[in-house]
Amino acid sequence: MKRPGVRMVDVAALAGVSAGTASKALSNTGQLSQETRDRVRRAAATLGFTPDARGRALSSGRTYTVALLTTDSSGRFSIPIMRGVEDVLSAGELATVLCDTRDDPLREQTYLRSLVARGVDGIVVTGRRTEPRARIDVPLPVVYALAASTDPADASVIVDDAGGAVATITHLLRLGRSRIAHVTGPAHHRSAAERAQAVTTTAGTALCGEPLYGDWSERWGRQATDLVLRQNPDAISCGSDQIARGVCDRLRELGHSVPEDIAVTGYDNWPVMALASRPPLTTVDLRLEDLGRRAATLLLEAIDGKPHHGVLELPTQLITRESTLGT
């Protein structure tokens, strides 16, 4: 609660900086050291000072609002990304508005006109696919997350899908698995194709058959299991946690033990699938919150007049669990 009579100059005095520096620190603008920003925020917290949003907007010409524009209606990818975005933006007391386009180009254009009219400070564009997407044409700073912009001049943050697949196969090989099958999603999906290519290259002669493409579903995982068992695998690498959970279910139905008979890996580290699977899945974490934090940091820099250009690829992380390690 803001104490009556506490002003920006009081915060500045307690922090030992000028009023202008205090204002920049609390609005997360300017070229200030992290130590200075932290000192000003501590002083503001001590005095119970909260910047007046309307006053800041009038004095700066900004709304201190950023939009997250997404095609991911389920929130599977956009919600973790939004959490990361808010981790960064909340420090400067910026609000985040979620706009779900439902993969409808007309709806997207309606949102964009509204966001420009409202004067948001910037936009993070994301979705549920990793295919590069057409850039949006707005007079605002924009950063693309998960799916890169087709314009190399734009700022994009993506995940290293191939690196995650390499990590799973390397893990299986180190465990002594020598006949590895791969089951994944639609061949026309960039993420499925990139992961399958990395699996094929890394496994080499340990790959016991061509990758099988299908749906991102447990049902496909169960169906594919009957097919890959003809290859006599001792490990099945899957392009998603949903597929892997279906594989584990079918293996159990057929009397195969996971991982004693056949090890299984997933991809995405989606808790509702990876942790509920029997056994819990070794999988690749996309680190979507990190992705959101990096996208938000780039957006703040662009808002501050220092835009980034090009694609930034962030590493994934292999999470090992019982589906390969056993109990």
Side-chain angles (χ1 to χ4, degrees), residues 116-240:
V116 172
R118 292 170 183 269
V120 299
D121 294 333
I123 302 174
V124 174
V125 179
T126 188
R128 63 178 183 273
R129 298 273 294 273
T130 61
E131 282 76 11
R133 57 150 294 158
R135 73 185 307 270
I136 62 174
D137 186 15
V138 292
L140 299 168
V142 178
V143 173
Y144 299 80
L146 193 63
S149 167
T150 53
D151 189 337
D154 289 330
S156 303
V157 188
I158 64 174
V159 297
D160 181 9
D161 257 329
V166 169
T168 62
I169 300 304
T170 301
H171 171 66
L172 291 171
L173 292 173
R174 286 174 177 169
L175 291 175
R177 305 293 171 158
S178 59
R179 294 189 57 78
I180 302 172
H182 185 62
V183 181
T184 191
H188 63 278
H189 281 206
R190 181 175 181 268
S191 56
E194 284 198 345
R195 295 168 191 177
Q197 180 58 52
V199 166
T200 301
T201 302
T202 307
T205 58
L207 192 70
C208 60
E210 292 296 317
L212 293 183
Y213 295 94
D215 301 321
W216 299 115
S217 68
E218 293 175 74
R219 181 171 179 268
W220 164 237
R222 291 191 293 270
Q223 293 173 337
T225 300
D226 291 335
L227 299 175
V228 298
L229 283 177
R230 300 171 188 171
Q231 304 168 2
N232 192 32
D234 59 10
I236 302 175
S237 159
C238 300
S240 79

Side-chain angles (χ1 to χ4, degrees), residues 31-79:
Q31 295 181 333
L32 305 178
S33 68
Q34 191 58 48
E35 188 277 331
T36 298
R37 293 186 194 279
D38 291 342
R39 191 166 74 248
V40 171
R41 287 168 188 159
R42 286 195 298 270
T46 300
L47 296 175
F49 177 82
T50 302
D52 181 81
R54 288 175 298 178
R56 285 201 300 165
L58 288 172
S59 63
S60 66
R62 292 175 51 187
T63 61
Y64 292 91
T65 303
V66 164
L68 183 72
L69 189 73
T70 182
T71 61
D72 176 28
S73 299
S74 70
R76 162 70 188 92
F77 299 99
S78 59
I79 296 303

Side-chain angles (χ1 to χ4, degrees), residues 67-72 97-102 107 111 115:
L68 183 72
L69 189 73
T70 182
T71 61
D72 176 28
V97 178
L98 179 63
C99 302
D100 176 17
T101 69
R102 303 177 193 175
R107 190 180 183 89
Y111 268 128
L115 294 171

Side-chain angles (χ1 to χ4, degrees), residues 210-295:
E210 292 296 317
L212 293 183
Y213 295 94
D215 301 321
W216 299 115
S217 68
E218 293 175 74
R219 181 171 179 268
W220 164 237
R222 291 191 293 270
Q223 293 173 337
T225 300
D226 291 335
L227 299 175
V228 298
L229 283 177
R230 300 171 188 171
Q231 304 168 2
N232 192 32
D234 59 10
I236 302 175
S237 159
C238 300
S240 79
D241 293 337
Q242 287 173 284
I243 294 172
R245 184 173 174 182
V247 167
C248 287
D249 286 348
R250 184 58 176 155
L251 288 174
R252 188 169 59 252
E253 290 172 0
L254 295 173
H256 296 282
S257 177
V258 178
E260 288 76 13
D261 298 332
I262 301 175
V264 178
T265 63
Y267 206 109
D268 293 336
N269 197 30
W270 187 11
V272 71
M273 289 291 163
L275 297 180
S277 176
R278 297 169 57 194
L281 295 171
T282 288
T283 184
V284 175
D285 193 329
L286 299 179
R287 300 174 66 179
L288 294 175
E289 291 191 24
D290 286 350
L291 188 81
R293 282 189 282 270
R294 187 61 66 89

